[in-house]
Amino acid sequence: MKAVEIEVKVDSNLERLLKEEDLDFDLKITQDDPGPKCFSLEAIDGTFHQISGCYPLSNLLQCLAYAHQDHLETLTITQNDLYLNPVDQISKQIRTRYWKALTRTLDEKGIVELLEDSKKKKEQIKRIYVPSEDKDSFTQLQSVSKHHPYLHLEIIKLPKARTKDLYETLEKAPGLLSLKIDKNGRFAHPFVVPGGRFNELYGWDSYFIVLGLLEDGKIDLACSIFENLAYEVEYYGSVLNANRSYYLSRSNPPLLSSMACEILLRLPQDQEINRWAQRAIRTLILEYQLVWNHPSRKTSSGLNRYFGGYLKEPSEVEAGHFDAVYRSHALIHGCTLEDFREKYLKGEIKDESLDDYFMHDRAMRESGHDTTNRLVNCCADLNTVDLNSLLYKYERDISRLIECYCEGSFVDDEGNSQTTKKWQELAQLRSSLMHKLMWNEKNSLFYDYDYAKGKKTTYQSATSFYPLFAGLASENQARCLVEASLLRFEMQGGIVSTTEKSRGIVTAGNPQRQWDFPIGWAPHQILIWKGLLEYGYPSVARRLVYRWLYMLTTEAKNYNGVLLEKYDVVHSTHKISAEYGNEGMHLGLYPEGGFGWTNASYQVGLSYLSNQEREALRNLTPPEVLF
């Protein structure tokens, strides 16, 4: 491209570019397209400019597609638009486009976009459930419904009492759960959705998203997300898996205290920060008491478990997901799969072992690791390393926050004294139990504890490193984890979810699941990076960061800027065949929003690299050359 910038017609160039270069008809230009990778871009003055190479052409496609979406007839294309270094391009897109594309508001302006739920069958009637105590939000949302009758929107009061019958009703009549709206009814607090089929506010996703937002200077949006999660705690009794009615019975990994601490580090140090911190502390204590101190999640070992309720099949899963499970039980009852499933869900057939299976399945979904063979058909019997590490950090965070912002003690809304010492003691007790029940000196790993059987499990998972993030591991344990165990999980593209040995050979009875080898996820990467930095292993952390970002950058460069939910870190590819596919993969034309926690991992990861390492990444120097 000879000129520094040229003005082009949008639609004619877009149509011709797709015709000549998108030869697999997936609305993307990638290295898999067999086209010539050389395109003559026509300017409005009739001149042509040759654009060559997969990466510049994919950038051109995105520029034209964005302009087409914005109904622009012409567009000025610059060299920077097409040839900006992939690292700078990805980071810029996340900062300027992706967060905005994933931001939602539950108000008159944003409600249409939120009502769509690709996980459920389309219904003409749309529903929003509002806590009966939140009269202002109910009135405001009723007004929206009346102003827009074409939405066929029902605003339904949610009773305060949470019963099994209510949960079952909400699964059969799905809808949104309302979030925080100011008392004047004019401002709904925005939040960020993960992307793909996940078009609602998710619990643990939000922690990682907030890290990315803070890195990009979007403090107000990060605070707004916290306010919405605090609303969930106040009105729904927990940080929800997500704010759809079928998620009401389960929570998500306890990362709200970590989110509050990260936000407090970025807020201006003025009088308002004390008020914000004290409100946050009250929310954290309330969630801890309502969720993690609840009898359903406390166990005889003294540690905690995930628990998603006693309901049956989760309604958000894709059709056919449980067919193999139903088939085996249908044979026992002498039914066809379809007949058995229908009668079982109606309660006409009783099957206690299947009830237990779904109890464990819902607990696994509360853990966020849905699904992994580590937790299938056993999750509710486990004190997992991940949950108890996060609760240890939760207890320590509350202790520190009370010390810092409440002078060591205060009286909560129930009249109970909350002190730094009390929460320190809770953390110390949990630490002692975890060291006793979970640490395996011989294998240099923390293992989940099966409290029902009274012994450690043997499944090796990346969650074994959560004690580093939580600050729970001793210095010796940290050294053992890094020197003896990390290489079991460190792959070409970063940290893998489990070891291949633990996953075992993939068969019909042991299927490939998305939270098992060879797949890696942004949450595991970020928590392990932070843990390594906490324990004084910055060079190891940066090596892992570099592996992950090198993979993300290479895949985005070769595949139309794609940033997805998860990756095969063994083979360094986004092309995955496991359970639900890979969210964000099939959008076409441009990666609308990327994926929340993957976006965050890119921005956070870049901040951890040295200048030399960032420059090496910009030159796509392979990890094995640098390290």
Side-chain angles (χ1 to χ4, degrees):
M1 189 168 131
K2 296 179 181 179
V4 174
E5 59 181 40
I6 57 173
E7 190 174 5
V8 303
K9 289 184 178 180
V10 172
D11 289 350
S12 59
N13 277 294
L14 178 59
E15 181 180 357
R16 191 162 52 84
L17 179 60
L18 287 170
K19 182 178 180 180
E20 294 179 15
E21 295 289 347
D22 178 29
L23 300 186
D24 58 4
F25 309 108
D26 63 353
L27 298 179
K28 296 189 283 285
I29 295 175
T30 74
Q31 68 174 18
D32 294 340
D33 283 300
K37 299 294 193 298
C38 183
F39 179 73
S40 295
L41 180 63
E42 184 179 7
I44 60 172
D45 63 6
T47 60
F48 288 87
H49 303 260
Q50 295 297 114
I51 312 296
S52 300
C54 178
Y55 175 65
L57 288 175
S58 69
N59 285 339
L60 175 60
L61 174 63
Q62 292 173 52
C63 288
L64 294 172
Y66 281 125
H68 174 79
Q69 182 193 52
D70 294 337
H71 307 290
L72 300 178
E73 292 185 2
T74 64
L75 176 69
T76 299
I77 299 286
T78 69
Q79 286 181 321
N80 205 43
D81 292 329
L82 306 185
Y83 296 101
L84 184 64
N85 183 275
V87 173
D88 302 329
Q89 173 76 345
I90 295 166
S91 185
K92 175 186 174 184
Q93 291 286 76
I94 293 169
R95 185 174 59 255
T96 61
R97 283 190 182 272
Y98 294 177
W99 294 133
K100 183 178 180 181
L102 295 176
T103 298
R104 304 285 185 269
T105 51
L106 188 57
D107 56 16
E108 194 156 0
K109 183 179 179 181
I111 205 165
V112 174
E113 195 171 18
L114 262 177
L115 290 174
E116 293 304 317
D117 183 6
S118 62
K119 298 183 297 302
K120 307 296 292 184
K121 291 181 180 179
K122 286 189 178 294
E123 295 181 304
Q124 184 179 28
I125 295 175
K126 308 293 184 183
R127 306 175 189 87
I128 299 179
Y129 293 93
V130 185
S132 56
E133 312 96 291
D134 188 3
K135 297 177 182 178
D136 292 321
S137 293
F138 184 80
T139 300
Q140 171 65 11
L141 291 169
Q142 269 195 323
S143 175
V144 172
S145 177
K146 290 175 182 177
H147 290 165
H148 303 281
Y150 65 91
L151 292 176
H152 304 284
L153 179 59
E154 290 186 357
I155 311 301
I156 304 167
K157 284 187 177 180
L158 190 67
K160 189 171 184 178
R162 306 287 188 256
T163 64
K164 183 178 178 181
D165 287 343
L166 174 64
Y167 292 138
E168 290 177 346
T169 299
L170 295 177
E171 296 226 355
K172 294 173 184 176
L176 273 171
L177 299 172
S178 69
L179 295 171
K180 185 167 184 177
I181 300 174
D182 279 359
K183 289 185 177 180
N184 60 20
R186 295 180 181 177
F187 177 73
H189 289 255
F191 56 93
V192 177
V193 302
R197 68 198 286 260
F198 304 115
N199 187 38
E200 47 273 317
L201 175 67
Y202 279 79
W204 79 314
D205 293 67
S206 291
Y207 168 67
F208 303 101
I209 287 168
V210 161
L211 292 179
L213 294 174
L214 292 174
E215 194 61 45
D216 284 336
K218 301 181 186 298
I219 298 175
D220 288 345
L221 183 52
C223 289
S224 181
I225 290 173
F226 185 90
E227 293 295 337
N228 278 309
L229 296 175
Y231 178 96
E232 289 185 347
V233 173
E234 180 180 358
Y235 287 104
Y236 303 124
S238 74
V239 169
L240 298 175
N241 189 160
N243 69 312
R244 298 276 180 193
S245 60
Y246 45 81
Y247 290 130
L248 186 61
S249 68
R250 59 183 186 262
S251 187
N252 243 197
L255 282 157
L256 194 61
S257 72
S258 297
M259 183 189 295
C261 290
E262 294 284 355
I263 290 173
L264 284 166
L265 288 174
R266 307 294 182 106
L267 285 177
Q269 300 298 308
D270 54 21
Q271 288 185 343
E272 180 58 32
I273 194 174
N274 278 12
R275 288 191 289 270
W276 195 94
Q278 289 170 13
R279 292 200 313 272
I281 292 167
R282 291 177 184 277
T283 296
L284 298 178
I285 292 174
L286 181 60
E287 189 206 12
Y288 185 94
Q289 297 294 353
L290 292 176
V291 182
W292 307 111
N293 208 33
H294 191 276
S296 66
R297 292 179 178 83
K298 295 173 69 176
T299 71
S300 56
S301 69
L303 296 173
N304 289 75
R305 67 170 179 171
Y306 286 112
F307 187 72
Y310 290 101
L311 299 172
K312 296 179 181 177
E313 174 187 319
S315 66
E316 77 274 10
V317 299
E318 294 176 338
H321 180 79
F322 293 109
D323 279 1
V325 177
Y326 281 128
R327 189 175 291 110
S328 63
H329 287 265
L331 288 172
I332 297 172
H333 290 271
C335 302
T336 64
L337 184 156
E338 294 79 9
D339 190 39
F340 173 79
R341 178 177 180 275
E342 181 180 355
K343 290 182 178 179
Y344 171 73
L345 293 178
K346 287 181 178 179
E348 296 173 9
I349 289 180
K350 305 294 183 182
D351 190 314
E352 290 186 5
S353 65
L354 190 53
D355 291 345
D356 287 344
Y357 177 89
F358 283 124
M359 176 186 67
H360 292 302
D361 184 85
R362 285 178 175 273
M364 175 170 57
R365 294 177 193 282
E366 181 171 86
S367 81
H369 293 81
D370 49 336
T371 68
T372 166
N373 284 309
R374 174 172 72 100
L375 302 178
V376 168
N377 211 16
C378 64
C379 187
D381 288 342
L382 300 181
N383 303 134
T384 65
V385 175
D386 38 310
L387 172 59
N388 285 280
S389 295
L390 296 180
L391 286 175
Y392 170 81
K393 185 173 186 299
Y394 213 106
E395 290 155 352
R396 286 184 71 207
D397 286 343
I398 291 176
S399 173
R400 291 169 177 173
L401 291 171
I402 292 174
E403 178 70 23
C404 185
Y405 295 101
C406 303
E407 298 182 348
S409 69
F410 76 100
V411 177
D412 66 20
D413 295 339
E414 302 297 321
N416 300 313
S417 175
Q418 303 292 345
T419 66
T420 293
K421 182 180 178 182
K422 170 187 173 179
W423 288 93
Q424 284 177 339
E425 289 173 349
L426 287 172
Q428 184 55 50
L429 175 60
R430 188 179 303 277
S431 173
S432 299
L433 288 170
M434 290 183 68
H435 287 135
K436 176 183 177 182
L437 300 176
M438 294 178 167
W439 176 248
N440 184 309
E441 187 73 33
K442 180 180 179 181
N443 290 339
S444 297
L445 278 178
F446 286 94
Y447 288 92
D448 299 329
Y449 181 73
D450 188 327
Y451 72 88
K453 295 179 180 178
K455 63 179 184 180
K456 299 180 186 71
T457 68
T458 59
Y459 210 99
Q460 297 181 345
S461 166
T463 56
S464 294
F465 295 88
Y466 274 46
L468 297 181
F469 170 73
L472 178 141
S474 68
E475 293 298 327
N476 180 62
Q477 288 169 338
R479 181 181 56 79
C480 290
L481 284 167
V482 173
E483 295 180 3
S485 296
L486 190 62
L487 287 179
R488 304 178 202 175
F489 296 89
E490 183 177 348
M491 301 294 157
Q492 177 68 22
I495 294 294
V496 71
S497 298
T498 69
T499 61
E500 185 175 19
K501 181 180 179 180
S502 284
R503 183 204 63 178
I505 298 172
V506 174
T507 64
N510 185 47
Q512 175 65 61
R513 299 186 186 275
Q514 62 177 1
W515 284 90
D516 287 342
F517 182 97
I519 298 172
W521 294 74
H524 287 170
Q525 317 302 316
I526 294 172
L527 294 181
I528 290 173
W529 301 342
K530 282 181 165 290
L532 290 168
L533 292 172
E534 175 79 14
Y535 278 85
Y537 294 93
S539 61
V540 179
R542 295 199 312 273
R543 184 180 76 225
L544 297 179
V545 169
Y546 193 93
R547 288 191 180 282
W548 177 255
L549 295 192
Y550 179 83
M551 177 184 64
L552 296 189
T553 304
T554 303
E555 290 295 277
K557 178 177 181 289
N558 293 333
Y559 289 93
N560 209 60
V562 71
L563 283 177
L564 302 180
E565 178 190 27
K566 54 186 177 283
Y567 289 78
D568 177 340
V569 294
V570 175
H571 303 99
S572 291
T573 177
H574 70 278
K575 296 180 180 180
I576 291 172
S577 176
E579 295 187 295
Y580 307 106
N582 206 350
E583 290 305 317
M585 190 169 178
H586 305 295
L587 296 176
L589 291 179
Y590 50 81
E592 184 62 74
F595 197 85
W597 57 31
T598 308
N599 299 346
S601 73
Y602 204 89
Q603 305 299 70
V604 171
L606 281 177
S607 75
Y608 289 160
L609 294 180
S610 67
N611 292 335
Q612 179 185 358
E613 289 158 350
R614 279 195 292 272
E615 189 58 31
L617 185 63
R618 295 178 82 252
N619 294 324
L620 287 181
T621 305
E624 55 269 21
V625 173
L626 197 62
F627 298 98

